[in-house]
C-alpha cells in the first residue's frame, strides 16, 4: 500500500551497473527495483482525490530502515520502486495488490497444477477454519463510509483487517489505457455490480512519456480521472505504477527510446535506466501522491512481495507480507508460507484461466468449470484475490507486445483475454456466474447494473481510391541517409527520441541478383521488393531469399525492405535486445549492403496528414503491394459501437478519423476489429486502410466480434 507523505517523487540511488536483484524491503530514502515472477507489477492502493474519500489502506507498523537490494534474475520478473521518507513518507510497494501483467502461454499450461492444490493449504495452515459459515458483510467497508477511519489495512492472524474489521480483497483488473475514456464509468460500475470491491490498474510509462521529456496525462491517459471515478463509485483502487508493468504491452510498458543506449540494462540499477525512471517519477508521483491519505493519522505503508510457488523462499522479505501467484502452487507452498510468516492472510495476486492471443495461434477461452472450482476453494479458505482480467479491452494502435516460447509470438489487437466482460464491454455468461456466487457469499452494497451499450451493423464501405506507398514517399519527411542500416530506436526523428512503432523502409541500390541473407537482423517482418516487384518476406523464421538474376537487366535496381515492428517482447531476459527494423547488416552474396535511404513510417496521426492533392487514384484494378486505401462511413446522429471485418484483405492497419484501431491479419485468429462508438462522428467518417499486400474491395461492419476458435 502507499500512504501519502511528502509529495516529492521517489529517487533511485543505486550504483551504476548493479543489477536490480534480490528485493529486501528498503524503506529508506532510496528507491529500489524488486522482483516478482512474471508478470506481476508494483501495486499501490489509492482512493479518490479530494472529497474526503480516501482509498489508501495502510499498516500501523512502521517499516524498518533499509538499504538498496537486488535480485539476480530481475528480468524474469519486473522492477518497481519503493521510497519511504523517514519511515512515514511515500512508499510504492512493488507488489502490493498487483494485477497479472500479461502472462505468457506457458504460465497457463501449468495453471491446473497450481490451484487444484489450493485445498492443500488447509493441511498446513491450521488457522484456516474451513468453509464459510455465513455470508461476509463488507457493506460498511467502502471508501465513502470509511473516509474518517483511523486504522488502515493490517494483518491480524489469518485476516486482513480494515479499521479493525476483517476485509476480503476482491479485485478485478481494468486497464484505463485499453478502454476509451467515455466508457470508464460503465466498466467500473459493471465491476462493482458483479461483486468486486477493488479495481486494479497499471500505469504504462510508454504511453505517458512516448518521447523524452514529453508527458501526457490527459484524455484517455487521464489517470487521476480514472481513479476519481472508481472511488466515486465506491471502489478501492490498486494502482501499479511501474515503471515496468508487463501486461502483454510492447516492451512491457517501457518506452522504446530507452534502447537508444547501446549499453542499456532495463529493469536494473544501470544509471541510464534509473535516471530516466527518476525523471518520469518526477512527473507521475506528484499526480498520484495527493490521492493518498492517512499518513497524518500515523498509518504507514504495508508492503508485500509476490512470487510463484517455487520462488517463495527466495523471494520473501523480512517484515513484508508474502503473497503468491497462481503458478506452481503445491502443498509445499503453504508449508513454506507458514514457516516464513506463521499466521497470515493469503492473497492470490494474479488469478486467471486465460491468456492473450497471438497471430497465427488458436484463440484462448475461459474454462468456467475450473475457474469456479478454484474461486470456491479460495473463498472457503478466506483467500483474497485479484482477477486478471475483469475487462481486457483492446490493444489499440501498436501497443501490443509479444512473447517468445520457441517462436516469436506477436499479440493480436484484441485484449479480450477471456475476461468477464467482452472487448466491447458486454456481459458474458461467466460474469453472471461470478455475480451469483459473490452474492451468495458476500453482502455488498446495492449497485445499479448498467445495460450493455448498443452495437450497430453499418452499411459496408467501398474503398474507391488508393495511393501506393511508393507514390507518397516524395511527400514524406526527408529520408535519413546512412552507410549502414539503422534500427527504429536510433533514427534521428521525434526530437531525438527515435521511432517507437509501425514500419520502417530501407532503400538501397544493387547491381546483381543472388542470395539475400538477413542473419537474423530483420525485426520483425520485412517485405522485400526489387524496384516495385514483390520478392518475398524475411522474418524470425525465414532468413534468406533469392533475388532473381534475370531481373537485373538495367545497370542497377532499387532494393527495398519494408520492415514491420510487430511488437517488442513484454518480458524476459531478451528485452534489452528488442530493437526493431534492421538491427544489423543485410548481405547479398555474403557482402554487406551499404548506402541506405531510411524512411520512418510510424503511422501516427501526423503521418497520415499528407499534403498530396490529387494523388488519390481510382481503384480500377486490384493493386498488389503496400498501399493506402480510402473510404467514407456514413453514420446517423447517435454513433454506436461496431466491429470492422476486412474479409478479402491480407494484412495491415486501419484508421478511423485518425484513430488507429490496430492491426489485422488474415492468418487469424482475430477476424474483426473493435470500433468504439465515441470515435465516430455523426455524418461522414474517414477510413484509411494501410494494406501491405493484397486489398479487398469492401470494408464490412458487424454487431459481433469474431476472435477465432
Amino acid at each position: 500500500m502507499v500512504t501519502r507523505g511528502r509529495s516529492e517523487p521517489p529517487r533511485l540511488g543505486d550504483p551504476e551497473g548493479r543489477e536490480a536483484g534480490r528485493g529486501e524491503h528498503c524503506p529508506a530514502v532510496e528507491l529500489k527495483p524488486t522482483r516478482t515472477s512474471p508478470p506481476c507489477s508494483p501495486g499501490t492502493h489509492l482512493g479518490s482525490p479530494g472529497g474526503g474519500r480516501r482509498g489508501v489502506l495502510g499498516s500501523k507498523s512502521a517499516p524498518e530502515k533499509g538499504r538498496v537490494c537486488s535480485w539476480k534474475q530481475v528480468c524474469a520478473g519486473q522492477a518497481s520502486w519503493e521510497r519511504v521518507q523517514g519511515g512515514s513518507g511515500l512508499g510504492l510497494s512493488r507488489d502490493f495488490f498487483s494485477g497479472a501483467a500479461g502472462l505468457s502461454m506457458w504460465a497457463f499450461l501449468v495453471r491446473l497444477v497450481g490451484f487444484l492444490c489450493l485445498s492443500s493449504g488447509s493441511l498446513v495452515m491450521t488457522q484456516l477454519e474451513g468453509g464459510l459459515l455465513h455470508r461476509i458483510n463488507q457493506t460498511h467497508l467502502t471508501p465513502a463510509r470509511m473516509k474518517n477511519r483511523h486504522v488502515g489495512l493490517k494483518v491480524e492472524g489469518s485476516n486482513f483487517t480494515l479499521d479493525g474489521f476483517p476485509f476480503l480483497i476482491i479485485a478485478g483488473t481494468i486497464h484505463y489505457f485499453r478502454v476509451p475514456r467515455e466508457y470508464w464509468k460503465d466498466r467500473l460500475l459493471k465491476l462493482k455490480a458483479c461483486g468486486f470491491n477493488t479495481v486494479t490498474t497499471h500505469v504504462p510509462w510508454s504511453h505517458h512519456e512516448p518521447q523524452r521529456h514529453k508527458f501526457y496525462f490527459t484524455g484517455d491517459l487521464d489517470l487521476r480521472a480514472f481513479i476519481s471515478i472508481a472511488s466515486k463509485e465506491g471502489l478501492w483502487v490498486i494502482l501499479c505504477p511501474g515503471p515496468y508493468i508487463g501486461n502483454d504491452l510492447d516492451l512491457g510498458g517501457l518506452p522504446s527510446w530507452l534502447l537508444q543506449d547501446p549499453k542499456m540494462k532495463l529493469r536494473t540499477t544501470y544509471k541510464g535506466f534509473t535516471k530516466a525512471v527518476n525523471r518520469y517519477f518526477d512527473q507521475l508521483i506528484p499526480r498520484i501522491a495527493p490521492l493518498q491519505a492517512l499518513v497524518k493519522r500515523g498509518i504507514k505503508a504495508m508492503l508485500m512481495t509476490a512470487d510463484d510457488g517455487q520462488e517463495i523462499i527466495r523471494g520473501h522479505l523480512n517484515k513484508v507480507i508474502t503473497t503468491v501467484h497462481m503458478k506452481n502452487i503445491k502443498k509445499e507452498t503453504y508449508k513454506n508460507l507458514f514457516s516464513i510468516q506463521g499466521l497470515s492472510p493469503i492473497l492470490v495476486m494474479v488469478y486467471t484461466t486465460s491468456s492473450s492471443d497471438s497471430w497465427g495461434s488458436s484463440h484462448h477461452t475461459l474454462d468456467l468449470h475450473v475457474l469456479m472450482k478454484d474461486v470456491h476453494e479460495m473463498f472457503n479458505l478466506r483467500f483474497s484475490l485479484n482477477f486478471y482480467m475483469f475487462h481486457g479491452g483492446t490493444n489499440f494502435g501498436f501497443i501490443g507486445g509479444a512473447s517468445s516460447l520457441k517462436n516469436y509470438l506477436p499479440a493480436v489487437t484484441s485484449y479480450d483475454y477471456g475476461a468477464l466482460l467482452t472487448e466491447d464491454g458486454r456481459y458474458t455468461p461467466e460474469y453472471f456466474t461470478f455475480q451469483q456466487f459473490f452474492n451468495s457469499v458476500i453482502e455488498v452494497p446495492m449497485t445499479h447494473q448498467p445495460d450493455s451499450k448498443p452495437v450497430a451493423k453499418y452499411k459496408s464501405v467501398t474503398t474507391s481510391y488508393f495511393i501506393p506507398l511508393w507514390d507518397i514517399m516524395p511527400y514524406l519527411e526527408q529520408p535519413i541517409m546512412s552507410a549502414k542500416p539503422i534500427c527504429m530506436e536510433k533514427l534521428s526523428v521525434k526530437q531525438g527520441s527515435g521511432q517507437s512503432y509501425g514500419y520502417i523502409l530501407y532503400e538501397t541500390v544493387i547491381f546483381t541478383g543472388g542470395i539475400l541473407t538477413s542473419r537474423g537482423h530483420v525485426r520483425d517482418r520485412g517485405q522485400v521488393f526489387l524496384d516495385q516487384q514483390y520478392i518475398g518476406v524475411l522474418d524470425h523464421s525465414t532468413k534468406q531469399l533469392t533475388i532473381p538474376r534475370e531481373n537485373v537487366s538495367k545497370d542497377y535496381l532499387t532494393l527495398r525492405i519494408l520492415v514491420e515492428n510487430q511488437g517488442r517482447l513484454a518480458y524476459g531476459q531478451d528485452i534489452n535486445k528488442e530493437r526493431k527494423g534492421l538491427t544489423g547488416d543485410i548481405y547479398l552474396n555474403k557482402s554487406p549492403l551499404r548506402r541506405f535511404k531510411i524512411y520512418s513510417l510510424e503511422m501516427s496521426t501526423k503521418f497520415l496528414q499528407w499534403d498530396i492533392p490529387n494523388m488519390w487514384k481510382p481503384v480500377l484494378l486490384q493493386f498488389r503491394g503496400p498501399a493506402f486505401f480510402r473510404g467514407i462511413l456514413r453514420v446517423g446522429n447517435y454513433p454506436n459501437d461496431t466491429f470492422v471485418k476486412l474479409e478479402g484483405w491480407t494484412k495491415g492497419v486501419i484508421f478511423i478519423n485518425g484513430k488507429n484501431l490496430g492491426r489485422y491479419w488474415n492468418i487469424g485468429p482475430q477476424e474483426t476489429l473493435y470500433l468504439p462508438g465515441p470515435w465516430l462522428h455523426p455524418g461522414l467518417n474517414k477510413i484509411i486502410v494501410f494494406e501491405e499486400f493484397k486489398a479487398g474491395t469492401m470494408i464490412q461492419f458487424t454487431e459481433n466480434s469474431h476472435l477465432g476458435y
Side-chain angles (χ1 to χ4, degrees):
M1 292 286 181
V2 173
T3 58
R4 182 177 60 153
R6 298 170 59 184
S7 60
E8 179 185 356
R11 283 282 170 188
L12 292 168
D14 301 63
E16 179 178 355
R18 181 171 60 184
E19 204 172 44
R22 181 165 178 79
E24 293 190 35
H25 172 208
C26 305
V29 183
E30 300 177 36
L31 280 170
K32 69 172 179 61
T34 52
R35 175 198 174 279
T36 181
S37 55
C40 192
S41 65
T44 303
H45 212 136
L46 301 175
S48 69
R53 294 185 176 182
R54 297 164 181 172
V56 179
L57 304 181
S59 168
K60 280 265 187 179
S61 59
E64 64 174 341
K65 296 289 181 180
R67 60 231 173 257
V68 177
C69 314
S70 62
W71 279 101
K72 290 185 178 179
Q73 295 179 339
V74 68
C75 287
Q78 60 198 41
S80 56
W81 318 98
E82 299 171 10
R83 179 183 191 273
V84 178
Q85 183 80 344
S88 63
L90 182 65
L92 295 181
S93 166
R94 81 152 252 18
D95 270 318
F96 194 125
F97 292 100
S98 86
L103 290 169
S104 62
M105 283 188 288
W106 60 265
F108 300 95
L109 297 177
V110 298
R111 199 199 63 76
L112 297 182
V113 178
F115 272 122
L116 288 178
C117 297
L118 272 175
S119 58
S120 66
S122 61
L123 300 177
V124 295
M125 301 183 68
T126 57
Q127 75 273 26
L128 298 177
E129 299 178 353
L132 297 172
L133 300 179
H134 53 79
R135 294 173 71 200
I136 302 170
N137 187 350
Q138 298 194 151
T139 56
H140 57 298
L141 302 180
T142 63
R145 294 195 177 193
M146 302 198 70
K147 61 183 180 180
N148 295 317
R149 69 190 183 280
H150 295 278
V151 181
L153 189 76
K154 295 182 64 178
V155 170
E156 296 185 6
S158 61
N159 293 313
F160 290 115
T161 63
L162 186 58
D163 206 23
F165 296 97
F167 183 61
L168 202 63
I169 301 160
I170 309 168
T173 304
I174 301 174
H175 291 147
Y176 63 96
F177 53 89
R178 281 183 164 124
V179 181
R181 177 175 180 153
E182 293 86 350
Y183 289 157
W184 287 351
K185 182 176 180 180
D186 174 80
R187 307 310 194 248
L188 291 167
L189 284 173
K190 289 172 179 175
L191 178 78
K192 184 180 179 183
C194 191
F196 292 87
N197 57 29
T198 304
V199 60
T200 299
T201 198
H202 300 74
V203 184
W205 181 6
S206 54
H207 291 47
H208 291 289
E209 193 185 2
Q211 295 178 229
R212 279 193 185 89
H213 311 295
K214 289 194 174 183
F215 299 93
Y216 299 89
F217 290 93
T218 59
D220 288 341
L221 295 175
D222 193 339
L223 174 61
R224 288 175 59 93
F226 180 82
I227 294 170
S228 180
I229 294 169
S231 185
K232 183 178 180 180
E233 299 306 328
L235 291 165
W236 301 104
V237 175
I238 300 169
L239 183 65
C240 307
Y244 168 85
I245 60 174
N247 295 132
D248 299 304
L249 290 172
D250 184 283
L251 209 61
L254 297 174
S256 63
W257 47 259
L258 290 168
L259 296 176
Q260 289 182 324
D261 181 347
K263 298 180 180 179
M264 176 56 65
K265 298 181 179 67
L266 300 173
R267 301 166 59 206
T268 72
T269 55
Y270 174 70
K271 185 177 179 179
F273 182 64
T274 59
K275 182 178 179 180
V277 171
N278 283 328
R279 186 178 63 241
Y280 167 56
F281 273 15
D282 284 345
Q283 297 292 323
L284 173 64
I285 301 306
R287 287 174 165 84
I288 63 176
L291 309 182
Q292 306 168 67
L294 303 182
V295 171
K296 293 181 179 179
R297 297 194 177 113
I299 298 175
K300 315 300 182 186
M302 174 185 289
L303 304 179
M304 295 187 176
T305 61
D307 290 280
D308 67 32
Q310 295 179 348
E311 299 289 338
I312 284 180
I313 293 295
R314 290 200 309 151
H316 86 280
L317 313 176
N318 294 331
K319 299 185 180 180
V320 175
I321 296 298
T322 300
T323 69
V324 296
H325 280 287
M326 47 169 277
K327 187 165 73 76
N328 296 327
I329 297 180
K330 301 177 181 179
K331 179 178 178 180
E332 291 75 16
T333 303
Y334 300 97
K335 290 181 180 179
N336 292 335
L337 273 174
F338 191 73
S339 67
I340 290 169
Q341 57 194 25
L343 293 176
S344 65
I346 301 295
L347 172 59
V348 179
M349 303 291 284
V350 178
Y351 182 67
T352 185
T353 64
S354 190
S355 65
S356 61
D357 289 341
S358 302
W359 290 114
S361 302
S362 300
H363 174 54
H364 295 89
T365 57
L366 209 63
D367 189 330
L368 181 59
H369 175 74
V370 172
L371 181 69
M372 290 312 301
K373 178 183 181 298
D374 292 349
V375 172
H376 275 267
E377 291 191 15
M378 280 190 278
F379 269 80
N380 285 338
L381 295 170
R382 298 298 289 260
F383 286 11
S384 291
L385 67 93
N386 177 64
F387 189 83
Y388 189 97
M389 298 281 302
F390 171 77
H391 173 53
T394 308
N395 288 323
F396 292 117
F398 300 116
I399 70 172
S403 59
S404 179
L405 300 176
K406 294 181 179 179
N407 300 311
Y408 170 80
L409 299 169
V412 302
T413 299
S414 172
Y415 203 64
D416 178 87
Y417 213 91
L420 302 188
L421 295 181
T422 63
E423 183 180 6
D424 60 322
R426 281 184 276 188
Y427 299 106
T428 65
E430 292 81 9
Y431 176 97
F432 294 110
T433 301
F434 262 77
Q435 185 182 59
Q436 182 180 13
F437 172 70
F438 286 153
N439 287 336
S440 70
V441 297
I442 303 174
E443 293 185 21
V444 295
M446 293 295 295
T447 303
H448 167 68
Q449 184 161 313
D451 295 331
S452 292
K453 300 291 183 183
V455 183
K457 182 179 180 180
Y458 294 113
K459 184 178 179 181
S460 296
V461 170
T462 301
T463 51
S464 303
Y465 296 91
F466 82 107
I467 305 177
L469 174 62
W470 322 123
D471 289 0
I472 71 163
M473 289 168 57
Y475 298 89
L476 301 177
E477 294 184 5
Q478 286 295 314
I480 295 166
M481 312 299 291
S482 175
K484 296 182 178 182
I486 303 174
C487 64
M488 276 188 179
E489 295 78 8
K490 295 184 179 181
L491 288 184
S492 55
V493 297
K494 295 190 335 188
Q495 291 77 51
S497 293
Q499 180 179 337
S500 299
Y501 308 111
Y503 300 79
I504 183 170
L505 180 65
Y506 298 85
E507 182 180 292
T508 189
V509 168
I510 62 174
F511 302 93
T512 183
I515 303 300
L516 186 70
T517 307
S518 70
R519 299 190 183 180
H521 294 154
V522 175
R523 300 292 180 90
D524 295 298
R525 186 175 186 270
Q527 294 186 78
V528 179
F529 300 87
L530 200 57
D531 282 344
Q532 298 181 13
Q533 179 185 352
Y534 173 78
I535 301 298
V537 171
L538 295 171
D539 57 19
H540 288 269
S541 58
T542 303
K543 298 178 172 60
Q544 182 174 295
L545 288 175
T546 299
I547 305 297
R549 295 180 186 273
E550 57 268 23
N551 285 355
V552 188
S553 56
K554 301 189 297 184
D555 292 338
Y556 67 89
L557 287 174
T558 300
L559 180 74
R560 294 185 174 112
I561 306 176
L562 177 63
V563 184
E564 178 195 7
N565 168 10
Q566 294 185 290
R568 297 176 182 87
L569 292 177
Y571 56 86
Q573 298 182 4
D574 291 334
I575 62 171
N576 291 314
K577 307 173 185 177
E578 279 297 277
R579 295 169 182 87
K580 298 298 183 178
L582 295 186
T583 59
D585 284 330
I586 301 296
Y587 297 82
L588 181 60
N589 300 326
K590 299 183 180 181
S591 296
L593 296 174
R594 291 292 182 256
R595 303 180 67 179
F596 287 90
K597 289 183 180 179
I598 306 173
Y599 296 84
S600 174
L601 308 174
E602 191 158 11
M603 303 290 181
S604 63
T605 301
K606 180 181 178 181
F607 173 86
L608 295 174
Q609 296 171 345
W610 315 302
D611 183 18
I612 38 181
N614 305 319
M615 289 295 293
W616 290 98
K617 302 177 180 179
V619 179
L620 300 177
L621 299 174
Q622 190 173 61
F623 177 82
R624 292 200 176 194
F628 296 87
F629 294 80
R630 189 181 72 182
I632 299 295
L633 172 65
R634 289 173 171 79
V635 174
N637 292 330
Y638 303 100
N640 293 321
D641 290 356
T642 189
F643 291 91
V644 181
K645 189 171 184 180
L646 291 155
E647 189 173 338
W649 299 71
T650 308
K651 185 180 187 303
V653 190
I654 182 168
F655 304 84
I656 305 285
N657 298 325
K659 295 274 194 178
N660 188 338
L661 298 190
R663 302 177 176 95
Y664 66 89
W665 197 354
N666 64 2
I667 66 172
Q670 183 175 352
E671 299 176 14
T672 57
L673 295 177
Y674 173 50
L675 171 53
W679 289 7
L680 294 172
H681 309 316
L684 303 182
N685 294 267
K686 183 179 179 181
I687 302 176
I688 292 180
V689 181
F690 176 64
E691 167 60 50
E692 296 181 22
F693 185 63
K694 177 184 175 183
T697 58
M698 306 285 288
I699 300 172
Q700 300 173 301
F701 301 89
T702 178
E703 296 171 326
N704 298 299
S705 65
H706 298 277
L707 300 179
Y709 302 97

